[in-house]
């Protein structure tokens, strides 16, 4: 049995976040990764997806060229070339991260890991014992148990498919469906989003969702809520997705059907029982310090934490907290209240803090500053199709409780609101900040 101070299961953002404090403290650390170092985000998620989103942004700019008195021929997207560009950009990421782990003094072991005892892991023919074990194995697409599910593809497939389909159906109305849906819609692909729930984009403010839904439909994306997918079948060389809506049986034909029904913790093969780790359907019971409640020598971070948002920066953040708890003892707890997030549709939707509904559910007395900014000079200058904001301010203290932006460089401006919330800068104080003009940031004072 090989002995380490720390064994990390997973070589993604969360696992790498753990190595900072633990290696700085001189602890011996082994990291076990079954696929490429970096995990989902840089290899099969955020980074390659943003390459496609950047191309869609370029198409959007070209589509609005006429507003700037620019005449231009209709563009043609070379999808195969775009996929090749995306693969070229991410190709060296695992090697670079391998070099980083080597410089940090982390032993990287490639293989499938599983518990053999509460403090022991088997990978291949090796057995590793550690004072602390960290589960940072990320997530995987939630499987759908519907007839014809074998025809479904995932976002991984979209990022590797060199053929641009004529029509695509996304099953699930979450972040991935909207982001990839906007990418596909720009070059003219017929896009349909089917969501079983009455609402889209859970976690986002409902008024912001209404804005991006309207813009998506303006682009030609067909969106159906309360749409229950019944089965998928082959029909005339294509896929037919059958669904029920409002008591009627409906169907839509497409070349691809993408499973966007969310992601679940990737812990199925870890033999959690052997590790004395209580869980229910892959959801590990954890305490406020991100430790397993049944085995406090085991920490969980990143997408394997079922109760926190599955976002790359949060994975890194949680990994850092776990690393410090291993070194200092269980003293540090995550605080998610000031962490911004963005939906990279075009335009983007950005959010931080409480939604209006959440603030009112908590009984807070708030002023809600709602702005349709499409008529503002800054939005008109750039011919923005959507420019919208909602800022939620506590009436008695002036604290900013939440900010929600659609368009207007919201994916960048949201960090100013997050910074203000984290450091207690009030709405009045933020409004008094002098910004360069003309910029979108200069509009923040008018948003409140």
């Amino acid at each position: 049995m090989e002995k380490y101070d720390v064994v990390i299961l997973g070589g993604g953002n969360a696992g790498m976040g753990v190595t900072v404090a633990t290696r700085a403290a001189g602890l011996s650390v082994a990291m076990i990764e079954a696929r490429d170092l970096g995990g989902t985000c840089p290899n099969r998620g955020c980074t390659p997806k943003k390459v496609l989103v950047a191309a869609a942004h370029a198409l959007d700019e070209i589509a609005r060229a006429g507003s700037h008195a620019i005449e231009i021929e209709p563009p043609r997207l070379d999808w195969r070339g775009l996929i090749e560009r995306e693969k070229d950009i991410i190709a060296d990421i695992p090697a670079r991260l391998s070099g980083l782990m080597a410089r940090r003094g982390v032993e990287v072991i490639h293989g499938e890991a599983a518990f053999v005892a509460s403090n022991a892991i088997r990978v291949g023919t090796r057995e590793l014992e550690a004072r602390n074990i960290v589960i940072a194995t990320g997530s995987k697409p939630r499987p759908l148990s519907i007839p014809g599910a074998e025809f479904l593809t995932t976002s991984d497939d979209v990022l590797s498919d060199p053929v641009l389909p004529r029509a695509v159906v996304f099953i699930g109305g979450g972040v991935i469906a909207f982001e990839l849906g906007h990418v596909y819609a720009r070059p003219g692909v017929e896009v349909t989003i089917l969501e079983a729930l009455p609402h889209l984009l859970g976690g986002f403010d409902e008024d912001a969702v209404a804005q991006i839904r309207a813009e998506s439909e303006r682009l030609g994306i067909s969106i159906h809520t309360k749409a229950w997918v019944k089965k998928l079948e082959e029909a005339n060389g294509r896929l037919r997705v059958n669904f029920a809506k409002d008591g009627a049986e409906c169907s839509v034909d497409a070349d691809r059907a993408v499973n966007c029904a969310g992601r679940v913790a990737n812990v199925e093969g870890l033999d959690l029982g052997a590790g004395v780790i209580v869980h229910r359907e892959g959801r590990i019971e954890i305490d406020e310090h991100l430790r397993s409640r049944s085995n406090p020598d085991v920490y969980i971070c990143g997408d394997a934490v079922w109760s926190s948002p599955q976002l790359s920066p949060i994975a890194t953040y949680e990994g850092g907290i776990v690393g410090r708890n291993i070194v200092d003892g269980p003293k540090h707890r995550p605080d998610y209240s000031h962490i911004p997030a963005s939906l990279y549709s075009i335009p983007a939707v950005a959010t931080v803090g409480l939604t209006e509904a959440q603030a009112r559910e908590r009984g807070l007395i708030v002023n809600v500053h709602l702005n349709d900014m499409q008529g503002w000079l800054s939005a008109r200058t750039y011919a923005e199709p959507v420019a919208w904001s909602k800022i939620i301010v506590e009436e008695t203290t002036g604290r900013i409780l939440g900010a929600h932006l659609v368009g207007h460089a919201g994916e960048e401006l949201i960090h100013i609101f997050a910074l203000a919330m984290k450091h207690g800068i009030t709405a009045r104080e933020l409004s008094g900040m002098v910004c360069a003009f003309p910029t979108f940031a200069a509009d923040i004072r008018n948003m409140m």
Side-chain angles (χ1 to χ4, degrees):
M1 185 77 74
E2 303 173 56
K3 295 185 182 295
Y4 292 84
D5 294 314
V6 183
V7 170
I8 303 168
L9 312 183
N13 288 355
M16 291 188 177
V18 176
T19 68
V20 178
T22 52
R23 284 300 300 137
L27 303 183
S28 57
V29 179
M31 173 182 285
I32 303 172
E33 172 55 52
R35 297 180 69 176
D36 296 327
L37 276 182
T40 299
C41 178
N43 295 305
R44 301 175 297 279
C46 325
T47 304
K49 175 191 67 184
K50 283 302 293 290
V51 177
L52 305 191
V53 170
H57 264 290
L59 288 174
D60 176 56
E61 293 281 353
I62 293 169
R64 288 186 281 142
S67 299
H68 305 289
I70 300 171
E71 294 184 8
I72 194 165
E73 293 294 325
R76 185 187 67 83
L77 174 63
D78 177 1
W79 181 263
R80 182 182 296 273
L82 178 59
I83 295 297
E84 289 174 356
R85 179 175 189 266
E86 169 230 310
K87 295 303 181 188
D88 180 64
I89 286 175
I90 67 173
D92 64 341
I93 288 176
R96 287 162 54 191
L97 293 176
S98 179
L100 173 63
M101 290 299 98
R103 292 191 298 276
R104 199 169 283 177
V106 175
E107 181 182 355
V108 176
I109 304 168
H110 292 279
E112 300 278 354
F115 283 88
V116 292
S118 60
N119 286 80
I121 294 293
R122 177 182 292 122
V123 53
T125 59
R126 300 172 65 175
E127 290 193 357
L128 286 61
E129 184 180 76
R131 178 167 57 87
N132 287 111
I133 295 173
V134 180
I135 298 174
T137 46
S139 62
K140 61 182 180 180
R142 183 188 305 277
L144 291 175
S145 55
I146 55 176
E150 66 273 13
F151 296 121
L152 287 170
T153 59
T154 67
S155 58
D156 291 11
D157 302 311
V158 172
L159 296 170
S160 299
D161 190 350
V163 178
L164 183 67
R166 290 173 294 163
V168 174
V169 175
F170 292 97
I171 299 178
V175 168
I176 295 174
F178 272 84
E179 291 180 340
L180 294 180
H182 274 239
V183 167
Y184 274 140
R186 298 291 166 176
V189 176
E190 295 178 15
V191 177
T192 302
I193 296 175
L194 303 177
E195 170 56 58
L197 296 175
H199 54 270
L200 302 156
L201 296 167
F204 285 84
D205 185 271
E206 62 181 16
D207 288 333
V209 173
Q211 292 287 323
I212 196 60
R213 175 173 185 166
E215 175 62 9
S216 301
E217 291 176 331
R218 187 189 71 81
L219 290 171
I221 297 175
S222 179
I223 301 173
H224 301 273
T225 54
K226 294 190 285 187
W228 291 87
V229 176
K230 297 296 187 180
K231 67 176 180 179
L232 286 80
E233 58 187 346
E234 291 182 306
N236 302 318
R238 306 179 81 195
L239 287 178
R240 177 162 295 158
V241 181
N242 298 282
F243 63 99
K245 179 178 170 63
D246 298 330
E249 297 296 322
C250 310
S251 68
V252 58
D253 290 352
D255 304 299
R256 307 278 189 279
V258 186
N259 178 2
C260 291
R263 297 176 70 88
V264 295
N266 187 24
V267 297
E268 188 176 359
L270 297 182
D271 197 351
L272 297 176
V276 196
I277 300 167
V278 172
H279 64 99
R280 183 175 181 180
E281 297 179 349
R283 295 183 170 191
I284 299 172
E285 295 185 7
I286 60 175
D287 66 14
E288 59 188 358
H289 303 293
L290 301 178
R291 296 183 303 175
S292 162
R293 289 192 180 276
S294 57
N295 182 354
D297 294 333
V298 173
Y299 285 87
I300 299 90
C301 53
D303 282 7
V305 178
W306 64 270
S307 55
S308 62
Q310 293 177 328
L311 299 171
S312 171
I314 287 181
T316 303
Y317 171 64
E318 290 175 343
I321 289 172
V322 166
R324 294 197 300 276
N325 280 336
I326 289 172
V327 173
D328 302 336
K331 300 177 180 178
H332 308 286
R333 294 176 288 186
D335 177 6
Y336 304 106
S337 61
H338 307 136
I339 298 177
S342 289
L343 163 70
Y344 296 105
S345 50
I346 305 165
V349 182
T351 180
V352 64
L354 300 178
T355 66
E356 181 181 353
Q358 289 168 340
R360 298 197 186 282
E361 285 169 6
R362 298 186 185 190
L364 298 170
I365 301 174
V366 296
N367 292 322
V368 177
H369 302 273
L370 193 63
N371 299 286
D372 182 349
M373 303 181 290
Q374 200 169 1
W376 295 13
L377 285 174
S378 48
R380 290 168 58 197
T381 298
Y382 286 89
E384 285 196 279
V386 182
W388 179 94
S389 69
K390 177 191 278 190
I391 315 300
I392 301 162
V393 179
E394 189 172 36
E395 187 174 287
T396 54
T397 65
R399 289 188 308 139
I400 301 170
L401 302 178
H404 312 279
L405 309 172
V406 183
H408 225 61
E411 65 270 43
E412 301 294 344
L413 295 190
I414 200 67
H415 299 96
I416 297 177
F417 288 100
L419 184 71
M421 292 168 64
K422 181 176 177 62
H423 294 286
I425 300 170
T426 67
R428 180 182 294 274
E429 290 168 334
L430 186 60
S431 295
M433 185 176 73
V434 178
C435 296
F437 182 86
T439 60
F440 289 131
D443 282 337
I444 288 177
R445 63 185 302 165
N446 301 315
M447 294 180 192
M448 298 179 288

